[in-house]
Amino acid sequence: MTYREDFTLPTELMERVSKQGFDILPELIQVIINAAMQAERQQYLKAEPYQHTEEREGHANGYKPKTVHTRVGNITFAIPQVREGGFYPEALEKGLRSERALLLALAEMYVQGVSTRKVKAVTEKLCGVALSSTQVSHAAALLDTELEKWRKRPIGEYPYLLLDAYYEQVREDGQVRHLAVLSAVGVNLDGKREILGVSVSLSEHEVHWRAFLESLKARGLGGVQLITSDDHTGLQAARLAVFGSIPWQRCQFHLQRNAQAYVPRKDMQAEVAEDIRTIFNAPDRTNAEAYLAKAVAKYQKIASRLADWMAANIPEGLTVFSLPAAHRRLFRTTNAVERLHREIRRRTRVVSIFPNQASCLRLVSAILNEISDEWLTGRTYITFQSTE
């Protein structure tokens, strides 16, 4: 989508921004979204306002007001209309996916009788009114269809794949359980990040990870040159079963943390951590292996369990040395996925306990869908022209 490059905020509005700060946020959002929707209509019609060209594919037909309940209050937008129909601006729709999902998650808690007074108050504040079970069911069905299409969309070649999981509290069978949210992030051939899939499962056992990975493969995932993850038992068994021939990079951050369990004295922890960092920050694998051998010999007499653990486990964190130097920092850990999970938790925290698994999957999917779109339209994450 190409937008106007000469768009500026009205001088009067800019002056009010400087005086009112965040209080002007609803009006600011209104101006920006309205401008983006106008640009979309021009793009759709292939003509500027009042411009007559052979390429024109329709006619503008004014605007229709639409009030939206958002977390910054009610905002009335001017939805551009097309005389021939068939047009609806994506600028407004994309920004409301996670908003709608959040409202549904909160509303379900209220409707199903598992909410607190606080949740009811938040729901009514965000929605403007308390939602009925019929309204919730209808809205949920529409949103679920859209999000399921996104989760099952065809995918292609992604040289790099990162896998990780985190947990959300969900009410199931009258009990509150911690369900695993499995996610996969890929980097495509254009160097752009993309969220390839998400699943809410009972746990991280092999059966759940395997079903998730097989679903990625069935949707067309291929061309993977490296998988980065931690060494969770269920994940590793599933990875070997589905992608066993693909090189694996064990997360260096988790390795560093795991090593501390084998340090016999607290006063040795900093020294051990520094030795492991020296290995991971080596200029190449040959030097990394030399540093590892030196560290193993160093600790063999004073911390034999640590030395044995390092010899057996640290090499799993050195696979990344096969990549171009510019790529190693980005794929030697799962930190990028963990940052993504922190962003999800920040936005799901208001729910606290999801009323059911579907509600959890809905909100998490909506947030990830929105973030993935931002990644794909944002800056390039890596380039494949880098050399050693």
Side-chain angles (χ1 to χ4, degrees):
M1 177 60 66
T2 302
Y3 295 105
R4 288 167 46 190
E5 296 180 354
D6 61 345
F7 171 73
T8 56
L9 293 174
T11 302
E12 180 185 353
L13 189 58
M14 288 296 292
E15 292 177 353
R16 291 176 60 192
V17 169
S18 64
K19 293 180 181 179
Q20 296 177 242
F22 286 120
D23 291 341
I24 196 67
L25 188 56
E27 188 171 346
L28 197 59
I29 293 174
Q30 181 191 57
V31 170
I32 293 173
I33 295 296
N34 282 347
M37 290 190 294
Q38 289 180 44
E40 276 192 66
R41 181 169 66 178
Q42 291 178 23
Q43 184 81 3
Y44 178 84
L45 297 176
K46 297 182 180 180
E48 299 286 334
Y50 308 109
Q51 182 183 27
H52 298 282
T53 66
E54 294 182 359
E55 292 79 18
R56 175 182 281 276
E57 295 188 356
H59 301 82
N61 191 31
Y63 302 87
K64 182 178 180 180
K66 180 175 181 178
T67 300
V68 177
H69 305 293
T70 76
R71 277 166 275 186
V72 295
N74 292 346
I75 302 178
T76 300
F77 297 100
I79 311 298
Q81 303 294 298
V82 171
R83 187 183 303 166
E84 293 78 10
F87 169 77
Y88 191 82
E90 293 183 5
L92 182 62
E93 183 67 19
K94 287 182 178 179
L96 293 177
R97 285 177 187 158
S98 61
E99 185 78 40
R100 291 204 312 260
L102 174 60
L103 300 183
L104 287 168
L106 291 171
E108 283 187 5
M109 296 177 73
Y110 173 54
V111 170
Q112 296 183 18
V114 297
S115 63
T116 63
R117 289 183 179 179
K118 179 179 179 181
V119 172
K120 177 182 176 182
V122 172
T123 304
E124 292 183 350
K125 182 177 180 180
L126 293 177
C127 300
V129 294
L131 302 184
S132 69
S133 58
T134 301
Q135 290 173 309
V136 171
S137 297
H138 178 66
L142 293 176
L143 184 59
D144 284 345
T145 299
E146 177 184 348
L147 294 176
E148 185 176 14
K149 287 181 181 178
W150 176 74
R151 287 194 300 271
K152 293 184 176 181
R153 73 195 186 281
I155 52 181
E157 292 192 10
Y158 295 83
Y160 299 129
L161 179 65
L162 297 97
L163 304 171
D164 202 8
Y166 81 100
Y167 286 80
E168 290 280 5
Q169 292 189 89
V170 180
R171 192 177 300 277
E172 272 214 346
D173 300 326
Q175 298 180 346
V176 175
R177 299 180 178 178
H178 286 82
L179 299 191
V181 179
L182 316 181
S183 60
V185 172
V187 176
N188 63 28
L189 294 172
D190 295 324
K192 295 291 189 76
R193 285 182 298 170
E194 186 176 345
I195 296 164
L196 304 183
V198 61
S199 173
V200 177
S201 306
L202 291 176
S203 68
E204 287 190 77
H205 289 164
E206 178 187 354
V207 63
H208 303 303
W209 268 115
R210 186 164 181 169
F212 180 59
L213 296 182
E214 286 177 342
S215 71
L216 295 177
K217 196 170 184 178
R219 288 165 50 207
L221 176 61
V224 181
Q225 300 172 17
L226 183 76
I227 295 176
T228 301
S229 73
D230 62 23
D231 69 332
H232 187 281
T233 304
L235 171 54
Q236 292 318 307
R239 178 186 61 81
L240 289 170
V242 182
F243 297 113
S245 63
I246 297 173
W248 172 56
Q249 166 67 24
R250 183 171 170 181
C251 176
Q252 291 183 356
F253 175 78
H254 286 90
L255 274 168
Q256 181 73 269
R257 190 169 59 186
N258 296 154
Q260 296 303 318
Y262 297 88
V263 179
R265 300 196 314 272
K266 189 174 182 179
D267 61 358
M268 291 177 58
Q269 291 180 346
E271 182 181 3
V272 171
E274 182 59 31
D275 286 339
I276 294 177
R277 277 194 295 272
T278 298
I279 298 169
F280 291 155
N281 293 331
D284 52 49
R285 179 149 190 161
T286 300
N287 279 279
E289 290 176 342
Y291 295 152
L292 173 59
K294 184 177 179 180
V296 170
K298 172 183 176 180
Y299 292 112
Q300 195 63 63
K301 291 184 179 180
I302 59 175
S304 60
R305 290 180 67 246
L306 172 63
D308 293 343
W309 181 89
M310 292 178 71
N313 292 270
I314 293 296
E316 295 176 339
L318 306 183
T319 311
V320 75
F321 281 106
S322 65
L323 303 184
H327 294 187
R328 294 173 192 166
R329 181 180 60 84
L330 298 173
F331 302 106
R332 65 182 185 176
T333 71
T334 57
N335 289 355
V337 190
E338 293 186 0
R339 284 194 296 271
L340 176 67
H341 290 166
R342 284 197 294 272
E343 173 62 16
I344 299 172
R345 284 196 293 265
R346 182 183 70 81
R347 296 165 71 172
T348 61
R349 193 175 297 127
V350 65
V351 179
S352 183
I353 300 174
F354 285 94
N356 52 52
Q357 187 170 327
S359 176
C360 179
L361 181 61
R362 180 181 304 123
L363 179 52
V364 172
S365 296
I367 294 171
L368 291 180
N369 186 184
E370 187 176 300
I371 292 174
S372 191
D373 283 350
E374 291 173 357
W375 284 353
L376 287 172
T377 57
R379 67 177 180 83
T380 298
Y381 190 60
I382 61 170
T383 59
F384 288 97
Q385 288 75 35
S386 299
T387 58
E388 293 284 354

